[in-house]
Amino acid sequence: MKRLGILLSGRGSNFEAIADQVASGSLKAAIAVVISNRSEARGLAVARERGLKAVSIPSKGLDREVYDRLVIEELNRSAVDLVCLAGFMRLLSASFVRAFPQRVLNIHPSLLPAFPGLDAQKQALEHGVKITGCTVHFVDEYLDAGPIILQAAVPLKDGDTVESLSARILQEEHRIYSEAIRMVLSDSFRIEGRRVMVEPQHR
Ligand code: GRF
């Protein structure tokens, strides 16, 4: 059974969606550890309630390399195969990315490369795009930049607010994150340049 390490900073709804899929058996993996840089993160409390290993590693006052080393050590202690960022509000160092080559995923609430960074839903709304969505991608040392694994489109409605749009995007996030994890864990992809391609037998 492949082992997931989840990194989060807040609400943790993407983590919960993954945990539900694991619990129902539709995602054949185990959640080895949930790590947060914020001890008060709701996601951490939810992980504890679910009986999962939940570890707080506060980042305050530590430089990036030192902090990342602590997180790498915990992930290795927990024998993690794949790292899933789920609302983890920190940029990872190049050495973190090197420690888990093609083994770190992130979810972002826009169709990248549009609207990277914070408040992606607000950025999309204010820009006036008609379609936005979400993206699961491999993580490199740049912000919201690595090769794209899966995307889902979400059309905007005239009456949308940041809240209503975010809620519709979140539903798609919860769906495609587990799908992307399944694909990566089954090793049924190859990467050419920036293009992540699904091997024919898994299409
Ligand atoms: C999600 O919108 C995700 O795309 C972004 O941060 C948010 C985290 O939400 N990276 P949650 O903590 O998973 O509920």
Side-chain angles (χ1 to χ4, degrees), residues 10-15 86-87 89 106-109 121 170 173-174:
R11 183 177 56 182
S13 75
N14 275 289
F15 148 63
M89 306 303 282
N106 182 41
I107 183 134
H108 182 77
Q121 304 93 331
L170 199 61
E173 292 185 36
H174 294 168

Side-chain angles (χ1 to χ4, degrees), residues 18-43:
I18 295 165
D20 286 344
Q21 295 261 326
V22 166
S24 75
S26 64
L27 179 58
K28 288 180 183 38
I31 297 180
V33 66
V34 177
I35 300 174
S36 177
N37 61 322
R38 296 205 185 119
S39 56
E40 71 281 12
R42 176 185 171 273

